[in-house]
Amino acid sequence: MNQAPTLEQQIEFQIRTSGPMSVATYMGLCLTHPSKGYYKNQDPFGAKGDFITAPEISQMFGELIGFWVVNLWQQMNEPKAFTLLELGPGRGTLMSDVLRVACRAPGFRDALDLRLFETSPALVAEQKARLEAYDPKWLENFEDVGSGPIIMLANEFFDALPIRQFVRKENGWHERQIGLDGDKRVFGLSPTPIPPMSMPPGVADAAIDEILEFCFGGAQLMSRLSQLVSRQGGAMLVIDYGYARTQTGETLQGVRRHAYADVLEAPGEVDLSAHVDFEALASVARQSGLAVQPLQTQGGFLTDMGISHRAAALAGANPNLAPDIRAAEQRLVGADQMGELFKVLCAHSPGLQPSGFGA
């Protein structure tokens, strides 16, 4: 019996028959191929995986977001039915910590309709086990969230959406593509230029050979979700690594077993991601009628939410773990760790005042 072709072989076949592919097409195949994609077959989280996210570092991260969710629900006059939606819930660690705190508020649990968006069958199984008590439902269509207000959480979700890359040349911008040099995958450029005036104003003065990354899928998804929240009321909290203003520079990276890896090697076995353009996401949200808080760093957000007090309380209750608790706090808020690189975007219905964004 013939074995099914590997993802590497499928990519090579597609390039040989259809020509070089965009970076976005390559990322999409590597991450979400129906049977051989990275997120279809692997649990990437934790010490045994490829990377560790903030919820896996400390329960404090999710607990503080739990307080944030409750505060927002109360500002919305405690609706008797609302949707709490998480995009890319991982192992369910963040949502478990969020709900452990949030469900202490009278009436919150009865009003909760928990919805999750996840593409990995392995992670769905973990989410079911961890969140079963809250009767979660998994979305295939973002419109399947009921008609009530929506509070949406997305931690390290947008960075995994496929990006396109463009390189500035004398005669305009050229899309970066992936082709073959013999049997080896290599980067190249489309011969067709894109006029500079069609690119964002912020990169008008880009130097020759500068790279611009744009996540069309992220912008489209943000538009759909923003329109949903604008229509039904609520808020979106997006936490990810990225930059505050649209800028040039390559950020596409591969990670495997907690170390950087070549993005063109081992398709389906390497996590691929890129920094999030928060200015672009905020612009889309405003176009949908939402108010947008000034962009906050993760360190600033968690500090405003009271992480130092929570760390002190946990350390006091667990003296033997106090050094680990303080180390986790520093990892989450430290400027040289996650505190500055990671940003927090909140888009919401006008009139709400989400906590965590200063006075």
Side-chain angles (χ1 to χ4, degrees):
M1 181 181 293
N2 293 331
Q3 287 187 334
T6 66
L7 182 55
E8 191 169 19
Q9 290 169 334
Q10 291 182 47
I11 290 172
E12 179 179 347
F13 178 79
Q14 184 168 330
I15 293 173
R16 292 194 185 281
T17 56
S18 302
M21 63 176 58
S22 69
V23 173
T25 298
Y26 178 77
M27 284 185 70
L29 288 169
C30 289
L31 296 177
T32 60
H33 182 280
S35 61
K36 301 180 185 298
Y38 180 81
Y39 284 109
K40 294 295 182 179
N41 297 303
Q42 306 201 37
D43 178 355
F45 303 102
K48 295 182 179 180
D50 291 326
F51 54 85
I52 297 177
T53 60
E56 305 285 341
I57 292 171
S58 172
Q59 68 187 65
M60 295 183 288
F61 183 81
E63 289 172 344
L64 294 174
I65 293 177
F67 287 121
W68 184 89
V69 169
V70 166
N71 179 266
L72 204 63
W73 176 69
Q74 291 170 338
Q75 287 187 42
M76 295 190 296
N77 297 316
E78 302 182 5
K80 299 301 181 184
F82 80 102
T83 296
L84 179 58
L85 168 64
E86 185 178 3
L87 308 182
R91 292 173 169 174
T93 305
L94 171 59
M95 188 55 71
S96 177
D97 292 336
V98 165
L99 293 177
R100 186 176 62 254
V101 168
C103 287
R104 295 175 185 171
F108 184 94
R109 175 66 184 88
D110 292 335
L112 172 67
D113 179 13
L114 178 60
R115 304 282 175 145
L116 306 171
F117 178 75
E118 179 59 65
T119 61
S120 166
L123 293 177
V124 166
E126 291 206 44
Q127 293 157 20
K128 285 181 178 178
R130 187 161 280 161
L131 301 170
E132 182 179 12
Y134 303 104
D135 190 28
K137 299 177 181 64
W138 283 263
L139 288 184
E140 293 186 2
N141 189 310
F142 286 111
E143 277 64 42
D144 296 337
V145 292
S147 58
I150 301 168
I151 300 176
M152 188 208 80
L153 307 176
N155 180 62
E156 291 201 50
F157 176 82
F158 280 88
D159 66 89
L161 298 180
I163 62 163
R164 292 170 69 181
Q165 291 184 323
F166 302 88
V167 181
R168 180 69 183 269
K169 293 296 182 181
E170 293 284 357
N171 63 339
W173 293 85
H174 293 252
E175 181 160 15
R176 201 178 190 203
Q177 298 177 319
I178 295 167
L180 293 172
D181 181 4
D183 294 330
K184 184 179 181 182
R185 288 178 296 281
V186 295
F187 285 111
L189 296 180
S190 165
T192 306
I194 301 170
M197 68 278 295
S198 64
M199 305 306 259
V203 300
D205 297 328
I208 301 302
D209 292 331
E210 285 277 15
I211 294 176
L212 172 69
E213 297 175 335
F214 194 81
C215 185
F216 289 94
Q220 291 172 345
L221 177 57
M222 190 69 175
S223 179
R224 290 178 62 191
L225 295 170
S226 296
Q227 291 172 26
L228 195 62
V229 172
S230 181
R231 184 169 65 245
Q232 298 181 203
M236 310 164 63
L237 191 71
V238 178
I239 305 175
D240 226 313
Y241 51 88
Y243 38 90
R245 297 284 181 268
T246 300
Q247 62 186 47
T248 56
E250 181 175 20
T251 68
L252 176 65
Q253 66 181 25
V255 174
R256 190 179 190 186
R257 300 189 184 98
H258 302 275
Y260 290 112
D262 189 328
V263 298
L264 296 182
E265 295 298 323
E269 299 176 27
V270 175
D271 175 52
L272 302 178
S273 65
H275 287 208
V276 174
D277 183 347
F278 281 97
E279 182 178 29
L281 293 186
S283 176
V284 169
R286 291 191 186 95
Q287 291 170 15
S288 299
L290 296 182
V292 179
Q293 290 292 316
L295 191 67
Q296 176 72 288
T297 64
Q298 177 174 294
F301 175 78
L302 293 176
T303 297
D304 280 358
M305 290 300 300
I307 191 171
S308 61
H309 299 292
R310 182 58 183 147
L314 284 174
N318 304 275
N320 293 338
L321 297 177
D324 293 336
I325 293 168
R326 290 301 186 187
E329 177 191 6
Q330 185 59 28
R331 187 169 179 184
L332 291 172
V333 305
D336 59 341
Q337 299 195 49
M338 298 178 74
E340 293 290 333
L341 175 61
F342 281 72
K343 311 293 192 300
V344 184
L345 173 68
C346 180
H348 56 89
S349 300
L352 296 176
Q353 295 182 319
S355 53
F357 292 87

